[in-house]
Amino acid sequence: MSAHAVGRGPGADGRAVIVGASVAGVRTAQALRREGWTGPVTLVGDEPHPPYDKPPLSKQLLTGAWEPGRAVLLDGPAAREAGITLRLGSPAVRLDPAGRRVSLADGQTLSYDVLVLATGAAARPSPWRPGSGLHVLRGLDDLLALRRDLELPGPVVVVGGGFIGAEVASAVRARGREVTLVDPLPVPMARLMGEEVGAHFNGLHRRHGAVTAFGTGVESITGRAGALTVRLSDGGALPAATVVVGIGSVANDAWLRDSGIPLEDGVLCDEYGRVPGHLGVYAVGDLARRRLPGPGGPQRSEHWTSAVEQAACVARTITRPSAPSAEASVPYVWSDQYDWKAQIVGAPGGARLHRLIGDPDGSPARFAALYSGDGARLTGAVLVNWPRAMLMARRLIAEEGALAHAERELTATGQVSRA
């Protein structure tokens, strides 16, 4: 099959290889079948486990409310029924675009006509290396190792106050353990939602019995599991049985560095997932650094909803190359922390908070924070325990709705708590 015959529409019978078995890879494989791709579809995963969903790692799986099987996205029988071949437990180690071949760590080589790169992102490595007892949380093996260490008696220290760190702290408290959350910023969530709303998240930790050491960094972590010491930049020291480090992520693109694929902390691609200069090669999910319409440079979107939407877009582009379509998507991410379900839509970061509707201190709390970049249009919102408000805000952002109109719609069902 020639390179120019790839993706000649529904019924295409070329060999599709998808490298990466998280939600973006799985949904791409499934979407290809829905779009009429009849050729072989192979899904490569570096872990031996069946493909699974990752958001529950820091939520239901860490609390123990779920066992791992409940997070499976695609098991063997479902894969066979869909005609998807699973190649698990052997990561891709090299790509030869000229020869259209992917080499795996076990020595096997896969040939392809269409290749989708979906290897996602990994936890940013910890700069601290004690003898044992330190964890990051990005995969199922990380989760299982952390759950084992949480059986050790003693306090837990979480380094990093972003979503992962906050969710881990919440899950640890749900297990009845002492936890201290450390971050160099006085208000960690200010990075995403500004200091005023971020301060309510600070208070959430304290109300649920977590200790916060915000505004101070970590100098060192020493010792072993069960007897660790976390030394802080303000001179303090925290004892810990277990330490969890959540300080961001890095794209899983190291295996592509000698391939000629354009990289920039991820794979550069257009809004349809197409990799420039490499016909038949696409990127999707956390790995994809997309060039989007409008101002701003290429960006990675590490959100579950975005990964699912990108998967559908790439499958349509592969099967209908003459008429690709990319739906305009409003960014969306959620976080479960204690008794709060926080949902963020649009782009509140960098915009100005204009109105807080509802009550952050209620029992239960319910509020919506509205943001605008220009004072006229609604550009972002943070919603807590208010699904209806989230749906309204997402619709209005997509429609480039007026901020005043958003305020009227939301205040019709909530109580204004600040002007």
Side-chain angles (χ1 to χ4, degrees), residues 282-419:
Y282 303 79
V284 69
D286 292 358
L287 181 70
R289 183 171 289 276
R290 295 182 297 158
R291 290 189 174 95
L292 301 175
Q299 56 188 274
R300 288 199 298 121
S301 178
E302 294 189 67
H303 304 321
W304 189 95
T305 305
S306 176
V308 172
E309 292 171 344
Q310 288 179 53
C313 170
V314 164
R316 287 194 302 268
T317 303
I318 290 170
T319 55
R320 308 174 202 173
S322 61
S325 63
E327 296 178 4
S329 174
V330 175
Y332 168 74
V333 63
W334 77 95
S335 178
D336 294 333
Q337 300 176 31
Y338 309 100
D339 56 353
W340 283 15
K341 177 175 281 295
Q343 296 171 296
I344 299 178
V345 294
R352 186 167 71 87
L353 175 66
H354 278 264
R355 183 64 63 87
L356 187 65
I357 299 169
D359 186 2
D361 299 316
S363 182
R366 189 187 75 161
F367 67 90
L370 305 183
Y371 299 78
S372 177
D374 58 9
R377 292 181 304 110
L378 179 69
T379 55
V382 176
L383 306 310
V384 169
N385 295 341
W386 201 352
R388 183 180 175 188
M390 185 279 293
L391 294 173
M392 287 184 185
R394 200 172 189 199
R395 171 177 56 81
L396 290 167
I397 292 169
E399 295 171 355
E400 298 188 348
L403 177 65
H405 179 57
E407 291 177 10
R408 286 194 298 270
E409 284 209 25
L410 289 171
T411 53
T413 56
Q415 178 182 2
V416 177
S417 63
R418 74 177 282 275

Side-chain angles (χ1 to χ4, degrees), residues 122-200:
R124 186 174 298 280
S126 167
W128 311 285
R129 303 296 175 97
S132 60
L134 184 145
H135 300 265
V136 297
L137 184 58
R138 192 74 187 192
L140 184 55
D141 288 337
D142 298 332
L143 178 277
L144 296 174
L146 175 56
R147 289 207 327 194
R148 286 193 296 270
D149 267 9
L150 287 177
E151 298 301 320
L152 296 171
V156 177
V157 172
V158 179
V159 181
F163 278 151
I164 291 296
E167 289 174 1
V168 168
S170 171
V172 170
R173 287 298 296 147
R175 296 172 68 104
R177 301 294 299 280
E178 296 178 30
V179 63
T180 298
L181 190 58
V182 182
D183 194 281
L185 290 182
V187 184
M189 287 295 174
R191 290 173 284 211
L192 296 169
M193 56 190 70
E195 292 200 1
E196 184 173 345
V197 177
H200 290 295

